[in-house]
Amino acid sequence: MPTAPNRRVRLLAPALAAASVTLLAGCATGAGASSDGTPTVVATTTQVADFAREVGGGAVEVTPLLGAGQSAHSFDPSAAQLLALGEADALVVNGAGLESWLDDAIAASGFDGTLIDASTGIELAATDEHAEDDHADDAHADDEHADEAHAEDEHADEAHADDEHAEDDHGHDHGEGNPHIWTDPELAATMVENIADGLAELDGVDADVVRDGEAEYLDRLEALDAWIEENVEQVPVEQRLLVTNHDAFTYFLDAYDVTFVGSVIPSFDDNAEPSAAEIDALVERIRETGVQAVFSEASISPKAAETIASEAGVTVYSGDDALYGDSLGQPGSEGETYLGSQIHNARLILESWGVEPSALPDVLRG
């Protein structure tokens, strides 16, 4: 898969990646199999549910906990969802600390199946990776490289500690870091590989079906990455500027060398609220950098984004033109699937930079 020259996200050692499937205490014997004997899989987010369906094909029955438009940052599963989780053969999670409510849900449901952490092997960006000061300064980017070099050992140590602890706990939290790893298609491919590895090991699953689905989907992710990259490269690096509703696109920014000017919500948590001073500061940065648009997100109210865009005198993308960040879209929308959501996001961002995107490759059509 093509790799942007400055892609800074690094994968950890293969030994850690091999730990993507963790058996929780107790059995994983298929107690939750569907009426026809198909193993049942519960997935936390809309993204990992889509990945599980794509690679699982008809070999598993996938039930998502979160629905379209719901954020994983604050989620309280219903009694029916906890029942489904307790009866499931496997649970697929985004991991990376996204599902802060997960331990309680597992405990309440009595789930004792196979836990598949899609984030295994991915090194997380720091939550202040794109702090909203001096983002347009090239020297700041150099400082980030130095910070990351310093933090690399810390990430490895944390991941190693999590791996060792997995036998006694759930082992799905990689510590502090930005959990929005799916926004880079290359990292999404790693997530898909982790999910496929886990599903292929489930009792009653036809591993060949899973591996075929994995190979086909990875081809599509590779095509998506190449299509985005070839289009982004039409824009001079200094003009690749982005303002979003919240800091959910760190890995996309790193993958395609995009400068993050700021976010309406100054946090990777979409439940945070901007202060008046933070709004004023963002408006000033937009004016100083020449940003042409502010992007709202489909799962977040666009009001603050619209206010900031109006004050700064730039275009706001909201409604059907909002980005898909924490959640995929409603059935029938362009963001109904992961691939559709990423094509939608890239197309709108490119158009905001004055680029008419090239035709999609055949593998991504339909």
Side-chain angles (χ1 to χ4, degrees), residues 66-287:
L66 278 80
Q70 286 187 297
S71 170
H73 291 293
S74 59
F75 176 71
D76 187 13
S78 67
Q81 289 173 321
L82 290 175
L83 179 61
L85 174 57
E87 295 178 345
D89 296 291
L91 171 63
V92 180
V93 303
N94 180 88
L98 179 67
E99 302 101 334
S100 60
W101 42 268
L102 188 58
D103 287 346
D104 289 341
I106 289 175
S109 69
F111 172 74
D112 64 354
T114 299
L115 177 68
I116 305 172
D117 185 341
S119 71
T120 299
I122 296 174
E123 183 176 343
L124 305 182
T127 54
D128 60 352
E129 179 86 8
H130 297 101
E132 294 179 356
D133 51 331
D134 299 326
H135 284 288
D137 192 334
D138 290 338
H140 178 67
D142 291 337
D143 289 341
E144 285 186 341
H145 282 289
D147 291 341
E148 287 165 7
H150 174 72
E152 185 173 4
D153 290 340
E154 292 180 2
H155 282 298
D157 291 343
E158 289 168 4
H160 178 66
D162 286 345
D163 190 27
E164 290 183 332
H165 190 57
E167 293 298 324
D168 299 319
D169 202 347
H170 306 308
H172 55 266
D173 188 349
H174 290 191
E176 293 297 323
N178 193 314
H180 303 86
I181 51 180
W182 62 87
T183 58
D184 175 358
E186 187 172 89
L187 297 184
T190 299
M191 298 174 74
V192 167
E193 290 167 350
N194 287 333
I195 292 170
D197 288 347
L199 296 182
E201 294 297 320
L202 292 179
D203 289 343
V205 167
D206 187 336
D208 289 338
V209 171
V210 172
R211 294 308 180 188
D212 287 346
E214 176 189 16
E216 180 179 344
Y217 197 67
L218 289 176
D219 285 345
R220 299 175 76 187
L221 287 174
E222 183 174 1
L224 172 66
D225 188 32
W227 177 78
I228 296 175
E229 186 170 358
E230 73 178 27
N231 280 280
V232 169
E233 286 179 347
Q234 299 180 55
V235 182
V237 173
E238 64 273 13
Q239 296 178 22
R240 300 176 194 172
L241 308 174
L242 190 65
V243 174
T244 59
N245 227 25
H246 83 299
D247 190 5
F249 298 91
T250 292
Y251 302 96
F252 178 90
L253 301 172
D254 288 345
Y256 305 110
D257 202 3
V258 178
T259 295
F260 182 61
V261 174
S263 59
V264 175
I265 300 172
S267 171
F268 74 87
D269 185 343
D270 60 9
N271 292 306
E273 294 286 345
S275 67
E278 288 167 334
I279 290 175
D280 290 343
L282 179 55
V283 169
E284 183 62 25
R285 279 196 300 277
I286 291 171
R287 290 170 177 165

